[in-house]
Amino acid sequence: MTRRSLRRALLSALTAVAVTLALAPLIPSATAAPTDYQAEDATISQGVVESNHAGFTGRGFVNYNNVVGSYVEWTVTAPAGPADVTLRYANGTTAARPLDFTVNGVAGAVGITFPGTGAWSTWASKTVRLTLAAGTNKIRARAATADGGPNADVLTVNPTSDDTQPPSAPGNLAVSNIKSNAATFTWTAAADNVGVVRYEINRGGNVLKVVDGSTLTATVDTLTANTAYDISVGAFDAAGNASQQSNVVAFTTPPSGDTQPPTAPGNLRSTGTSSNSVSLAWNASADNSGSIAGYDVYQGATKVSTTNSLTATITNLMPSTQYTFTVKARDPDGNASAASNAVTVRTAGTGTGGIPAYDRDIAKVDLGWSVAFLPDNSGSALVTERDRFEVLLVTATGQKTTLGKVPGTVTTTGEGGLLGLALSPTFSTDRWVYFYQTAANDNRIVRMKYENGALGTTAEPVLTGLAKNRFHNGGRLRFGPDGKLYAGVGDGQNSGNSQNRNSLNGKILRINPDGTPPSDNPFFSTGGNARYVWGLGFRNPQGLAWDSRGQLWASEFGDNSQDELNLVQKGGNYGWPACEGTIGDCGGYIAPKRTWSTAQAGPSGVEIVNDWIYIAGVTGSQLWVTQINSTGTGVGTPQAVFSGRWGRLRSITKTPDGALWLTSTNNDKNGGTPTVLDNVIVRLKFP
């Protein structure tokens, strides 16, 4: 996509982050000039200086021996504080070659992966932020695998500001000159103690355009006709600190005047059946506008599903019954295509499991973000209301009681508020309920007592200091089979947080119930916030669930290309911001087990029942269903269920009696409509 390509190019040129894995250099510091240190002049252990590959600087480069522990150690001079340290390297193999960087022999190495560059004469650069002492420092880059390190050319040390103060939010955002495919935005400058280096124009947390810090107006020309938008702007300084978002402007682009319908979808076919469902797939339509707004699935003359993907699963059918389906495409101006070929399918005679059916409505709520069932066999659950900051008790029959609010919760006029909740593994004795909330200055995890049918009035902090922003707050809480509390934390709209182990953002965290870090966490010995990190390199993870093997699966919102379903490993790095799904600089990172386009999924809550995975899709407005394979290492082809039926789906939770509760959160982009109960909790059943 043009928008995606533009974003990646601009970010490569402009983004300064705490730990950078992109191949572009960081923005130069204003505090000191960068200094180059040649590898051939450094201390070398189990390596040799060579000059047999072209393109090096200086007198040559260092070829690491292919053993764990070979290293190059540079002696550098710098002021005290952080420095961006860039290694120019070549790797002519297809295998990534990771290095561990240490300073002055201090424990807590920073690991950086150096993927193949295509040839030994092709050079690239990677940057890591290290903290240096005043005066002389020894920076060692040690091979972490038996493949040794890449060929090392020159190390550039660029002392940076220790600025941690973010800019103020840009003001007075306004939109003008709205066309079917473009609009112009203007805003007033953000203030910063050092200086603003760039502005990002966002739609729902996805970046549409990036401009430099001296530009206060921009035209975005990648919009779609006849489409609703809500736009905000954020500011960044040279240290990578992100402001809060500006005010939001909401508008709808006008129709383009196009009257030509799309081509008909092709090759409609059945991809699977059960006793109560039929799964369908088809080939994409084409339109003169260049985009398709969606597809409508018809059962006879009745529309039964609306989706923007190329698959749908129709449920609530009768066993051993024949059904006929067609599909039509719509363009952004509402022109409908001719019908696809018809396909006639007979459902199975006996239930095969996996695909749920609609059972009944449970309750109307505002924005039911998370659900946790009480362990008292009543079938009742606690539900968080994101924008009302309330905790509800909802019975199996749909009776609702407002138990109270979580004190200190605020909105971000976006995705923040009262988000995840989880019950203590020993709830029957300790009565603790854990909440993920947006507070005045941060996101945080707190806990409150729920005793004798009443929620306490005070909240005890469990973990604080999770950076907040209008979007990318994460928010899911789940206790794992090990009795530890896991939290999915977004990057706070600052992608540099995701690779910085000392930041709590862009991570999946693992926490003892009392808020202390478990000593068996992968980076516990590093100290600081790294002690809480279980996995890193995430953008906005919102779904957590465990399979029958005790493996953790997590869903993640992508940027402009791919959403992800990940199998999360202890200490695993999933690549953001260098890698989105399978796109970008993905060498050395753990690949997702499944990806979707960001228009199809927007995966939030995840649940697993008998190794079937259920994923609530926000953006795609559908429930995705897939089965874990027999080895536990991957999943089958996901099937889309209830496409367009309830809109934006947020959470999916198994009930004590073997069903599922599904919640919707429509009208949630700009802080919702907390005075209106216009979303649902529905119950799904298995055949």
Side-chain angles (χ1 to χ4, degrees):
M1 297 173 59
T2 301
R3 180 176 68 186
R4 170 74 180 172
S5 301
L6 175 61
R7 168 170 162 74
R8 188 167 296 281
L10 287 167
L11 286 180
S12 296
L14 297 174
T15 300
V17 295
V19 177
T20 301
L21 297 183
L23 296 181
L26 293 175
I27 296 171
S29 167
T31 60
T35 304
D36 290 342
Y37 297 88
Q38 294 292 340
E40 63 269 23
D41 298 327
T43 300
I44 301 166
S45 175
Q46 302 183 88
V48 62
V49 175
E50 294 181 346
S51 58
N52 56 324
H53 299 302
F56 59 85
T57 63
R59 297 177 289 104
F61 55 85
V62 173
N63 181 356
Y64 281 74
N65 289 356
N66 293 346
V67 294
V68 175
S70 54
Y71 68 80
V72 179
E73 184 176 86
W74 291 266
T75 301
V76 308
T77 302
D84 293 324
V85 177
T86 302
L87 178 62
R88 187 171 186 264
Y89 77 98
N91 179 4
T93 72
T94 58
R97 298 195 170 195
L99 296 176
D100 289 335
F101 284 79
T102 57
V103 179
N104 299 326
V106 177
V110 179
I112 299 295
T113 299
F114 293 83
T117 57
W120 291 110
S121 57
T122 300
W123 299 85
S125 297
K126 279 209 166 183
T127 302
V128 58
R129 180 159 290 183
L130 301 175
T131 300
L132 305 182
T136 300
N137 294 265
K138 293 186 181 296
I139 299 176
R140 178 177 294 185
R142 176 186 178 274
T145 71
D147 290 331
N151 286 352
D153 180 30
V154 61
L155 191 79
T156 301
V157 178
N158 185 11
T160 66
S161 167
D162 58 359
D163 175 26
T164 59
Q165 180 177 330
S168 64
N172 301 315
L173 178 64
V175 60
S176 62
N177 197 27
I178 300 172
K179 299 178 181 179
S180 61
N181 68 335
T184 298
F185 303 94
T186 57
W187 57 93
T188 55
D192 187 69
N193 60 320
V194 177
V196 173
V197 298
R198 77 178 189 277
Y199 293 97
E200 293 185 355
I201 302 172
N202 296 280
R203 180 197 186 193
N206 295 329
V207 178
L208 301 183
K209 192 166 188 175
V210 180
V211 297
D212 64 52
S214 63
T215 299
L216 300 177
T217 184
T219 296
V220 177
D221 58 4
T222 55
L223 306 182
T224 301
N226 200 28
T227 300
Y229 286 89
D230 54 284
I231 304 296
S232 62
V233 175
F236 288 79
D237 63 19
N241 298 308
S243 77
Q244 297 297 306
Q245 293 290 294
S246 70
N247 60 297
V248 177
V249 292
F251 62 94
T252 299
T253 52
S256 68
D258 174 30
T259 59
Q260 180 177 331
T263 61
N267 191 27
L268 178 63
R269 57 205 182 272
S270 171
T271 58
T273 63
S274 72
S275 61
N276 73 326
S277 69
V278 171
S279 296
L280 303 169
W282 54 91
N283 295 347
S285 298
D287 188 69
N288 61 313
S289 69
S291 62
I292 298 295
Y295 295 92
D296 298 319
V297 182
Y298 291 83
Q299 179 184 315
T302 303
K303 186 190 299 185
V304 292
S305 180
T306 296
T307 180
N308 49 21
S309 66
L310 298 176
T311 63
T313 296
I314 313 305
T315 63
N316 286 76
L317 306 179
M318 297 296 295
S320 302
T321 304
Q322 186 168 286
Y323 295 91
T324 298
F325 300 96
T326 56
V327 178
K328 296 181 180 180
R330 287 175 286 104
D331 68 15
D333 283 283
N335 300 305
S337 75
S340 69
N341 59 293
V343 62
T344 299
V345 186
R346 179 175 291 274
T347 53
T350 57
T352 58
I355 302 296
Y358 167 72
D359 187 3
R360 63 179 186 271
D361 285 4
I362 295 294
K364 281 288 188 74
V365 294
D366 173 33
L367 295 176
W369 208 94
S370 193
V371 174
F373 284 90
L374 297 172
D376 57 7
N377 298 318
S378 67
S380 298
L382 302 183
V383 179
T384 53
E385 285 272 34
R386 191 193 73 180
D387 295 332
R388 295 163 72 97
F389 317 144
E390 293 176 345
V391 182
L392 304 179
L393 175 67
V394 182
T395 70
T397 58
Q399 294 177 314
K400 294 186 301 181
T401 302
T402 301
L403 300 176
K405 294 187 176 184
V406 177
T409 309
V410 301
T411 184
T412 65
T413 62
E415 294 173 349
L418 183 57
L419 304 175
L421 84 157
L423 303 185
S424 164
T426 53
F427 176 79
S428 59
T429 55
D430 64 35
R431 313 303 293 181
W432 283 119
V433 183
Y434 292 75
F435 298 98
Y436 189 118
Q437 67 168 161
T438 303
N441 298 310
D442 60 0
N443 286 312
R444 53 180 53 197
I445 300 168
V446 301
R447 62 183 184 180
M448 301 174 68
K449 292 283 189 177
Y450 177 62
E451 300 176 288
N452 302 317
L455 185 69
T457 57
T458 60
E460 176 181 301
V462 174
L463 185 64
T464 63
L466 287 65
K468 72 172 186 175
N469 216 307
R470 183 176 179 232
F471 301 110
H472 304 194
N473 293 291
R476 193 68 59 188
L477 293 179
R478 296 291 290 266
F479 275 97
D482 56 2
K484 308 300 183 183
L485 180 62
Y486 291 75
V489 185
D491 67 11
Q493 290 194 256
N494 186 349
S495 60
N497 289 331
S498 298
Q499 292 296 330
N500 180 1
R501 292 181 189 170
N502 203 43
S503 168
L504 296 171
N505 289 81
K507 309 291 190 302
I508 291 176
L509 307 178
R510 180 173 179 260
I511 311 162
N512 287 322
D514 64 358
T516 59
S519 60
D520 59 341
N521 274 358
F523 310 114
F524 183 83
S525 62
T526 302
N529 285 336
R531 296 174 300 159
Y532 295 93
V533 175
W534 186 253
L536 67 155
F538 298 102
R539 179 179 179 271
N540 194 15
Q542 286 194 10
L544 303 170
W546 286 262
D547 63 19
S548 64
R549 294 174 173 83
Q551 299 180 124
L552 173 60
W553 296 78
S555 65
E556 179 176 6
F557 281 80
D559 187 19
N560 285 320
S561 293
Q562 291 187 341
D563 293 325
E564 303 176 27
L565 174 65
N566 287 298
L567 179 56
V568 180
Q569 302 175 19
K570 178 180 180 179
N573 191 331
Y574 293 81
W576 177 256
C579 178
E580 179 187 354
T582 58
I583 298 173
D585 180 10
C586 298
Y589 300 119
I590 300 173
K593 297 301 180 182
R594 181 61 59 177
T595 63
W596 298 263
S597 76
T598 53
Q600 293 178 347
S604 184
V606 174
E607 189 58 280
I608 298 178
V609 178
N610 296 329
D611 284 346
W612 284 81
I613 301 181
Y614 303 89
I615 306 168
V618 177
T619 309
S621 298
Q622 50 202 346
L623 181 69
W624 289 95
V625 182
T626 187
Q627 188 174 22
I628 301 171
N629 63 25
S630 60
T631 61
T633 58
V635 296
T637 301
Q639 302 174 57
V641 189
F642 308 119
S643 301
R645 182 162 180 175
W646 295 292
R648 295 164 63 86
L649 304 180
R650 180 65 61 177
S651 72
I652 182 76
T653 311
K654 55 189 173 186
T655 69
D657 62 349
L660 296 166
W661 275 16
L662 178 67
T663 73
S664 67
T665 55
N666 295 295
N667 301 317
D668 59 350
K669 296 180 182 180
N670 301 315
T673 53
T675 60
V676 181
L677 303 183
D678 54 359
N679 282 292
V680 297
I681 303 173
V682 299
R683 176 184 165 95
L684 310 179
K685 63 183 179 180
F686 295 102

